[in-house]
Amino acid sequence: MFKIAFIAPDKQLFLQGKKIIRELGLQDKVSLHLARLKRGIRLAKTLEQQGVEVIVCRGGTARVIIESRIRIPVVEIPITGQDLAQVFHEAKRITGLTRPKVAMMAFDNMVYDIEILSTILGIDLTIYHLEKTEDIPAKIEEAATTDVDLIVGGIKTILLAAQKGLRTHLIRSGDFSVRTAFLEAQKILLARKFEKEQAQKFKALAEYSLEGIISIDAKKIVTVFNPAAEKLLKRPSQAIIGQFITDVVPNLDFNVCFLQKQHVIGQTHRLGNLWITLNIAPIIVDDTVTGAIITFQDITHIQELEAKIRNEVLARRFVAKYYLTDIIGASPQIIESKRIAREIAQVEATVLISGASGTGKELFAQSIHNESPRKNGPFVAVNCAALPANLLESELFGYVEGAFTGAIKKGKPGLFEMAHRGTIFLDEISEMDKFAQSRLLRVLQERQVMRLGDNKYIPVDVRIIAATNKNLLELIQDNQFRQDLYYRLKVLTLKLPPLRTRAGDIIRLACHFLHSFNNRHHKHLSLTADAYEYLDGHDWPGNVRELMYFIERLVIIAKEETITAKTIQKYWEDQDYISPAGITDLAPEKHQILSSLAQTNSNITKAAQLLQIDRTTLYRKLRKYKIEVQKTY
């Protein structure tokens, strides 16, 4: 498809243009046409509809095409001083006079600086200015009444003057002028291509943007109204484009944009029941505001999008991995704990999980989160004992730039902000200092946080699950824990049973851990019945965590593939907890303790030596079996 059209008003220029097009190698880019004046206008409009982007033409035909308000650029083949010098030289040759009288019929675009040149070359020149093609016959009649020697002009002028019997000469353009015009047309074509690319980018941006986009001109008339704007304002673009912006979005102040040439960011505006936030940016060309771009969004949508981003981005870092089905056990105690956890998960209230270390408090917290409506949000776990008191507050609530020495330059959001629309798990809540407790109490009451060094609150939507392995009531009595915070936390409570009370679960867990660690460490260990019985007889003060770590250690270091009770005693590092002489039955153990005390006259040191355990272990077992020691002398 040709992008450049050459419209020649006469055959001579047509052939001249054809030759130069071939020399420049533009045959596949330029279409050639022979037409002048009004016919040239009709042809130009047809070519525009066919996709031609640049027209090359000359003289009066170029002038009338431009005045027809065609929307594509027209490159005029100029009439240069060299061309006019050639005309004046021919005038002397044709007339045989040293100073001929020449009448030139010309539109304004043909006569730049011609008077000076004619004086230099000795031509008595009279210029007849043409406003429109209809002026040509009258101007020729006027010239004919004078003693003019020669009439020069375009093709129509020459034809009409010749009919009057006047001597004529056609103004021609040299090859240099024609070549220059085609090269200029190529440059314009490239520039238009770039403009079209930019326009298409803006069109794509406007059409597929989630923001409403309105463009207005210098008169504040709407020129662009994108699909998002149609959807938000519930009005079709056909009804809006061409309207004043004040009729579309009333009460907008454009003074900052049009008079001060500044943009407006984050302005809140109400349209009926719709609240929008909008930006207004001026379009400045050569230091003049030629229009403005208005972008806007539904504030409710922004809030929803922000929550979605928080959930999707932050949740990648804060994910709850465990479910209630991952909690192994069939004892009545653990089944009841799982039932309560499932009920707790369905409501939004704060939860306090209590239990000894290693009973699975975080496992239950993650499971509650994954069973709850917040399961798609982040799960943020914080060990309050692992962070120093001076860092715990900044980690929980965040800080702004310059809040303290060593703070990140741009500040940092706290873990409560990161848990927005999700769950925050505060493990070992008893280790939180009194000041952090008071700030946590405010979060529970107000559901908003303030970063360190800031003066404004940030609303958060977060569920709190706290956990403790200490008796908080005792800490309250010792003035180490706030009573009002305690009652805020214990809205829902879940007390986890120690492993020693979970009938049959020690063997189930040991079997599970053995299978898991065999796979992980590429081993093939198996436990005999007496080995399982031995493990089941231990009271496991470290609960499930202690059992898990022991099984892993056993899988790694044991050289035997079949593990018996005796093998377990061999590899057990915590000798304090081994039953003496391999006894696994608790009743015989109590009997041996009583026997040892009797033999040693209740001397704790000697009795411990006899039992091959240390004094502290013996004291623990005395409390366990409720044995009172009465010394005899």
Side-chain angles (χ1 to χ4, degrees):
M1 182 178 185
F2 297 112
K3 294 295 182 181
I4 302 173
F6 173 46
I7 301 178
D10 60 76
K11 190 171 183 181
Q12 185 277 331
L13 185 60
F14 179 91
L15 296 174
Q16 184 182 10
K18 184 176 182 180
K19 175 178 75 73
I20 291 172
I21 289 169
R22 188 168 54 252
E23 291 174 358
L24 294 174
L26 299 177
Q27 299 94 318
D28 58 338
K29 293 183 180 179
V30 183
S31 60
L32 289 87
H33 308 272
L34 186 60
R36 65 174 184 268
L37 301 175
K38 290 184 178 180
R39 185 170 176 272
I41 294 174
R42 293 194 297 271
L43 175 61
K45 291 182 176 180
T46 301
L47 292 170
E48 181 184 15
Q49 293 174 357
Q50 292 175 355
V52 168
E53 296 188 22
V54 186
I55 291 174
V56 177
C57 198
R58 191 194 70 175
T61 303
R63 167 73 179 272
V64 296
I65 289 175
I66 293 170
E67 290 179 345
S68 71
R69 300 187 182 278
I70 195 167
R71 290 175 295 177
I72 58 176
V74 177
V75 177
E76 294 185 60
I77 299 173
I79 298 175
T80 65
Q82 181 178 348
D83 298 332
L84 291 172
Q86 182 66 30
V87 169
F88 295 149
H89 173 73
E90 290 295 320
K92 289 183 176 182
R93 183 186 65 80
I94 294 170
T95 62
L97 301 172
T98 56
R99 189 176 179 82
K101 293 181 180 181
V102 175
M104 174 174 281
M105 310 293 166
F107 291 93
D108 289 342
N109 61 332
M110 300 168 62
V111 292
Y112 302 118
D113 300 326
I114 192 170
E115 292 92 343
I116 296 173
L117 184 61
S118 63
T119 302
I120 294 171
L121 296 178
I123 299 294
D124 186 357
L125 179 66
T126 301
I127 300 175
Y128 294 84
H129 292 275
L130 301 175
E131 295 293 334
K132 51 186 180 297
T133 57
E134 289 77 6
D135 294 341
I136 297 174
K139 296 295 183 182
I140 292 174
E141 289 290 347
E142 184 180 347
T145 61
T146 67
D147 55 349
V148 65
D149 298 313
L150 184 70
I151 292 180
V152 298
I155 186 66
K156 184 168 183 177
T157 298
I158 299 305
L159 292 174
L160 291 175
Q163 291 175 6
K164 294 285 184 181
L166 301 172
R167 282 191 292 187
T168 62
H169 183 69
L170 180 67
I171 298 177
R172 302 184 185 280
S173 296
D175 287 357
F176 175 81
S177 300
V178 178
R179 184 177 290 105
T180 300
F182 283 120
L183 292 175
E184 182 65 22
Q186 275 193 291
K187 292 178 183 178
I188 292 174
L189 193 62
L190 289 173
R192 283 178 62 83
K193 181 180 179 183
F194 176 75
E195 288 176 0
K196 287 176 67 176
E197 288 176 355
Q198 295 300 105
Q200 285 299 115
K201 287 178 183 178
F202 177 76
K203 182 180 178 183
L205 176 65
E207 289 185 353
Y208 296 103
S209 174
L210 297 178
E211 288 186 310
I213 298 176
I214 302 175
S215 177
I216 59 175
D217 62 18
K219 296 179 180 178
K220 301 177 186 175
I221 294 175
V222 177
T223 57
V224 173
F225 196 77
N226 78 330
E230 291 181 309
K231 184 176 180 181
L232 285 167
L233 302 185
K234 296 181 172 57
R235 300 177 69 180
S237 60
Q238 297 90 333
I240 299 299
I241 292 175
Q243 301 294 318
F244 285 101
I245 185 62
T246 50
D247 296 333
V248 182
V249 186
N251 303 321
L252 275 186
D253 183 6
F254 287 95
N255 288 334
V256 173
C257 177
F258 278 86
L259 299 181
Q260 301 177 28
K261 302 178 183 179
Q262 295 179 358
H263 57 260
V264 177
I265 301 295
Q267 189 178 96
T268 303
H269 198 77
R270 184 173 183 176
L271 296 171
N273 296 325
L274 178 69
W275 280 95
I276 61 173
T277 177
L278 56 84
N279 307 318
I280 307 173
I283 301 171
I284 302 175
V285 179
D286 295 332
D287 202 37
T288 301
V289 177
T290 61
I293 296 289
I294 305 163
T295 61
F296 59 96
Q297 284 183 288
D298 179 1
I299 289 178
T300 304
H301 175 71
I302 294 174
Q303 292 171 336
E304 292 174 353
L305 190 62
E306 182 236 0
K308 182 179 179 181
I309 292 171
R310 279 197 192 189
N311 292 343
E312 291 182 356
V313 175
L314 295 179
R316 294 172 189 170
R317 296 169 50 197
F318 304 113
V319 179
K321 298 183 293 184
Y322 297 106
Y323 295 80
L324 289 172
T325 52
D326 296 320
I327 299 174
I328 295 169
S331 63
Q333 296 91 335
I334 202 67
I335 289 175
E336 177 64 6
S337 296
K338 290 167 73 172
R339 184 195 68 78
I340 294 172
R342 191 170 283 108
E343 296 294 331
I344 286 173
Q346 303 311 310
V347 296
E348 289 287 305
T350 303
V351 184
L352 178 62
I353 303 175
S354 59
S357 179
T359 51
K361 294 186 289 296
E362 182 169 353
L363 199 67
F364 270 88
Q366 291 193 27
S367 300
I368 290 170
H369 172 80
N370 280 331
E371 292 274 342
S372 76
R374 295 176 177 267
K375 61 186 176 182
N376 294 322
F379 177 86
V380 180
V382 187
N383 189 326
C384 298
L387 292 170
N390 60 336
L391 287 181
L392 180 61
E393 188 181 6
S394 64
E395 287 297 315
L396 287 177
F397 306 113
Y399 53 84
V400 296
E401 181 178 353
F404 53 85
T405 303
I408 295 173
K409 186 175 181 181
K410 294 183 179 179
K412 180 182 177 183
L415 294 174
F416 270 97
E417 289 180 62
M418 295 181 180
H420 186 66
R421 296 289 178 90
T423 303
I424 189 167
F425 173 57
L426 302 175
D427 197 10
E428 298 192 55
I429 190 75
S430 59
E431 304 305 316
M432 184 179 286
D433 72 325
K434 296 294 286 292
F435 183 71
Q437 289 177 32
S438 66
R439 292 203 62 182
L440 175 59
L441 180 63
R442 184 170 185 85
V443 174
L444 286 166
Q445 291 172 336
E446 306 295 336
R447 296 295 166 174
Q448 55 186 11
V449 297
M450 181 187 290
R451 294 185 184 182
L452 289 180
D454 206 351
N455 58 2
K456 63 180 182 293
Y457 285 99
I458 301 171
V460 291
D461 176 12
V462 61
R463 184 185 194 178
I464 298 173
I465 300 179
T468 180
N469 59 4
K470 293 184 179 180
N471 189 321
L472 294 183
L473 288 174
E474 291 181 1
L475 295 178
I476 291 170
Q477 292 174 359
D478 294 339
N479 199 31
Q480 295 180 28
F481 200 82
R482 292 180 61 116
Q483 186 176 27
D484 48 3
L485 177 59
Y486 171 70
Y487 288 114
R488 279 280 183 180
L489 291 173
K490 71 180 295 286
V491 178
L492 296 173
T493 59
L494 176 63
K495 186 173 179 61
L496 300 182
L499 183 57
R500 64 178 178 272
T501 66
R502 295 167 52 180
D505 283 351
I506 293 175
I507 293 176
R508 292 185 185 92
L509 286 164
C511 185
H512 168 77
F513 293 143
L514 180 67
H515 175 74
S516 176
F517 292 125
N518 268 334
N519 289 337
R520 181 182 300 180
H521 301 295
H522 309 291
K523 295 292 189 73
H524 304 282
L525 271 68
S526 62
L527 270 66
T528 61
D530 69 322
Y532 281 116
E533 185 179 354
Y534 186 88
L535 295 174
D536 194 41
H538 181 51
D539 57 5
W540 300 105
N543 294 291
V544 178
R545 184 184 294 118
E546 182 189 4
L547 174 61
M548 180 181 69
Y549 289 156
F550 174 73
I551 296 296
E552 183 174 22
R553 184 168 69 245
L554 187 67
V555 168
I556 292 171
I557 67 175
K559 61 183 179 181
E560 301 88 350
E561 287 199 356
T562 301
I563 305 297
T564 64
K566 189 173 181 180
T567 309
I568 290 176
Q569 294 179 53
K570 174 182 174 183
Y571 291 110
W572 202 309
E573 292 182 358
D574 301 323
Q575 296 296 326
D576 293 352
Y577 302 133
I578 300 179
S579 300
I583 296 175
T584 59
D585 191 340
L586 297 184
E589 184 181 56
K590 181 178 180 180
H591 175 75
Q592 283 209 358
I593 292 171
L594 292 170
S595 176
S596 300
L597 290 170
Q599 293 178 47
T600 59
N601 294 321
S602 297
N603 185 306
I604 298 296
T605 302
K606 291 182 179 180
Q609 291 173 349
L610 187 63
L611 291 167
Q612 299 180 348
I613 59 177
D614 64 17
R615 284 165 51 88
T616 57
T617 302
L618 180 55
Y619 276 119
R620 182 176 61 80
K621 292 184 180 292
L622 290 174
R623 289 194 299 272
K624 177 179 179 181
Y625 296 119
K626 299 180 181 179
I627 299 172
E628 294 184 4
V629 178
Q630 297 178 348
K631 291 187 178 181
T632 59
Y633 300 94

